[in-house]
Amino acid sequence: MKKVGVDVGGSHVTVSVIEHNATDNQKQTIFRKEINTNENPTAIISAIGNSIKEALDHQNGVATIGIAFPGPFNYAKGVSEIKGVGGKFETTFGVHIQQALKNFTGLDTAFFAFGNDAHCFAVGAYHRHQLKSKRTVFLTLGTGFGSAFMVDGDLVENHPDVPKNGVFYDKPFLDTIADECFSTRWILAEYERLSGKTIKSVKAIADLHTDVSNTVFRNFGANMGTFLFPWFEKFSCEELVIGGNISKAKALFLPALEEKLNTLKIKVNIVFCDDAEQSILTEATIIADKKNRLQMENTIQSKRKTTQALLPINAVVKSNSDYNIFPSFHTNSDVFVGFDSLAHAISKQKRVVIDGFGGVLWENFRNHLNSALTEKKINVLWYDIDACLKSSAEIDEMIKPNMNGDDLVFGKRYEGELSDFFDAEKLKMLQPDSAADICIVYGTGASLANWEGQLIYVDVPKNEIQYRMRACSVKNIGSTDTLAYSQIYKRLYFIEWPVLNAHKERLLPKIDLIVDEQRIDEITWMQGEDFRRALDKMQESPLRARPWFEAGVWGGNWMKNHIEDLNQDEVNYAWSFELITPENGIVLEGNNHLLEVSFDFLMFRDNKKVLGKAAERFGNDFPIRFDYLDTFDGGNLSVQCHPRPEYIKENFGEPFTQDETYYILDCRDDANVYLGFTDDINPKEFEQALIESQETAQPIEIEKYVQKFKAKKHDLFLIPNGTIHASGINNMVLEISSTPYIFTFKMYDWVRPGLDGKPRPINVEHGLKNVYFDRKGERVANEFISKQTAVQEFPNGRKMNLSTHQEHFYAIDRYEFTGDIEIETLGQCHICMLVEGDIAEVSAGENTQTFKYAETFVIPANVPKYRISYKGNGKAFVVVSYVKDSWC
């Protein structure tokens, strides 16, 4: 198998072909071809690609192709980020060079890898010349000013003694940047300035040996010494290694360089490499080998870390009363499957914009769609929107106030926009090439490039994003760091999801095609108009979100025992996200195929049709959540409270707080709920007990401070903000709560680690600032346990009102009946669950859905009334929650 090394310079492309088993000293076969770096991307790709093809001369068996390319460049992806270097290659900004070269050469099975040309020179020269210096600086002098730094033979980029990213080209010098002063451009311009004559090459000027030409090179050397001095002093440079075409004129500029360094009392050994090209080519092939091996090792790693199943391609229909973990909503439109069908849909376009949510595996998506397009003989040029992002350091600084330092859980909601993460000048540089059959800009935020073209939006469920985060297959927007999962999620929740949701809302009316990417090798998609019609239909119908399930340290077995489609090998199930709309999806079914999108699309389409009267107050924030807490054969929840309204707004940027209730769906005889303080609570003593337990890892007798109440099926415990509480063991709790869901201040957690063996975050300080110590004694039983009252009787049943606290903005009713009942929404969205019984049909006009025991469903406010027909034995109990009119 052959290895190919490529050096892409500012004026030429050099290619070498090496047999896989060649020795280091084997003479390389080298092929050179001129390149015009100012041409359009298609022409540049053609020049490089033809060089590779001609060098290979139709030879087969190419294993790797290593390409040394000037920067700025994303070498991991193979994407050009070149700007601010005198125009060279700037037309390629954002272009996926790696994919373009693969497409052009047809070398689909070869592994293409990229390396910085100066770095390739440094590593190649260091080994070829057996250098021994501890601190070495390498320069390549040609059409650009390349640089690299080594410490003990290892490249360094992020080091306190070297410039940012280990590069000199963009550093200020002589009222411009270094790249303008130490490149071919400067020598040509300086000669013209001094002589009034134009000469086209450095070699021609060097061959003149006139006073003017000699002055040009002396100035070049002296300027270089002046520029390098502070960096050499800081880096303690011992050796300077110079290569590149300009280095061939060393006799003309070296004396001035040495003189300047000596004057500044810097002693550095200077080495010139006449074999710079060979060094670069050799190292390019080595880099390709290394990256190829690394990629093969990584391909065996899963892209998601979870025991939970992916949404299947085809609809799951449960004809019996079993809970369905993959509910779907039937549309009369087609849902298409696969990248081939998507490629066909866009094949006639000239420009395509593929935007999408953060967490999409964009490179995998691009690879699949590119393969499908090239099968159709379409010349596609890919542009990566990530090239336009601000630097990781700039983004970190921008969001720093919202990250709240190293806090493991809490940040503050970011109020900016997705465009804040991008460099406006870079966005302007991202221009499609008219010479390509089709240009595609892709990635999260792609529409910010403002291209006119077909708009595709790629969505991915939030649970899948978290599974991918745990598998380290995706990162935060613009992040180059490997963060702890808690920090990744914190940044998602408080910063990225708010801006991405706002961006998604703006795009919804314009989307031409919507894609569900969670099955990374077999997408589903539908037409944008069909998608919007489906959302409209959902707003007139009963509907159900797709639930998802998580294990936890206190998790139990009720869900395992009652929901047969759950993975029975999971350690336990603590939560079911039944309807936590910021993290749930809705699943559309068309021609038996499933497509999932985020629930918030419904809100963005028309929040008034969903929420009715409550829309004015809550806007796009769906106000109520239903979720399960399962402690059957598990453990107690942490003793906790939730923030007061002013506290959550000021500290975390949330518009409303986390008020909760515990509805006991099921329980054992020994089940209890911890709620409110004992009558003789001493706040200082309680605080000291919590602190000592945290410091000593010793348990405390919690019932000395917190009351415990026996739990019975269908009880409702009221937990407005600031109320101390916890579910005990052997409960199946349906939380009927306001939507905020992560603002739990754990004050005591029974001195136990999490499932990962690490300590769980404890928030005593937050808790003590929010807990109400006067919620104690008899007041708790009187005020915080719901009074259940029959408010309406009818022949086949009754309506029960389950009182909620005055601080709860939502009401809860329970309908107990046989046969059919009809319920009016009265302009409010109803969130419902069959909490007793087997199976029921719910109809709104011509739209009918079937729901089973323990399944959560939603009746949009746009539905004036709905009918529930109970199909099971005995009596049905249906819980209904909605926003109180007084809070609208």
Side-chain angles (χ1 to χ4, degrees), residues 64 102 112 137 163 198 241 243 275 292 411 552 568 594 632 708 742 762-763 822 884:
T64 60
K102 266 199 161 190
F112 283 70
V137 174
T198 300
V241 182
D275 59 352
N292 188 29
Q568 297 298 306
L594 300 181
F632 262 68
K708 185 166 72 171
I742 71 165
I762 301 295
N763 318 110
E822 190 170 83
K884 298 173 183 175

Side-chain angles (χ1 to χ4, degrees), residues 517-535:
E517 182 265 351
Q518 64 184 294
R519 306 167 217 83
I520 61 175
D521 298 325
E522 195 169 21
I523 58 169
T524 55
W525 62 276
M526 68 189 304
Q527 297 285 344
E529 281 301 322
D530 290 342
F531 173 52
R532 287 181 284 272
R533 277 194 292 269
L535 294 177

Side-chain angles (χ1 to χ4, degrees), residues 89-131:
F89 295 110
E90 288 192 1
T91 62
T92 68
F93 181 82
V95 173
H96 202 296
I97 304 291
Q98 181 193 63
Q99 188 64 71
L101 286 174
K102 266 199 161 190
N103 292 350
F104 184 90
T105 60
L107 297 170
D108 296 330
T109 59
F111 179 80
F112 283 70
F114 289 76
N116 178 272
D117 53 351
H119 290 180
C120 288
F121 166 63
V123 175
Y126 191 87
H127 292 295
R128 286 174 71 93
H129 292 270
Q130 299 182 335
L131 302 177

Side-chain angles (χ1 to χ4, degrees), residues 518-566:
Q518 64 184 294
R519 306 167 217 83
I520 61 175
D521 298 325
E522 195 169 21
I523 58 169
T524 55
W525 62 276
M526 68 189 304
Q527 297 285 344
E529 281 301 322
D530 290 342
F531 173 52
R532 287 181 284 272
R533 277 194 292 269
L535 294 177
D536 293 340
K537 183 181 177 183
M538 290 188 88
Q539 292 175 340
E540 300 173 350
S541 310
L543 63 101
R544 186 171 168 226
R546 177 194 168 189
W548 61 285
F549 306 84
E550 283 279 274
V553 66
W554 41 263
N557 293 319
W558 191 95
M559 285 187 276
K560 268 192 183 184
N561 294 332
H562 288 78
I563 305 175
E564 65 177 10
D565 289 338
L566 287 178

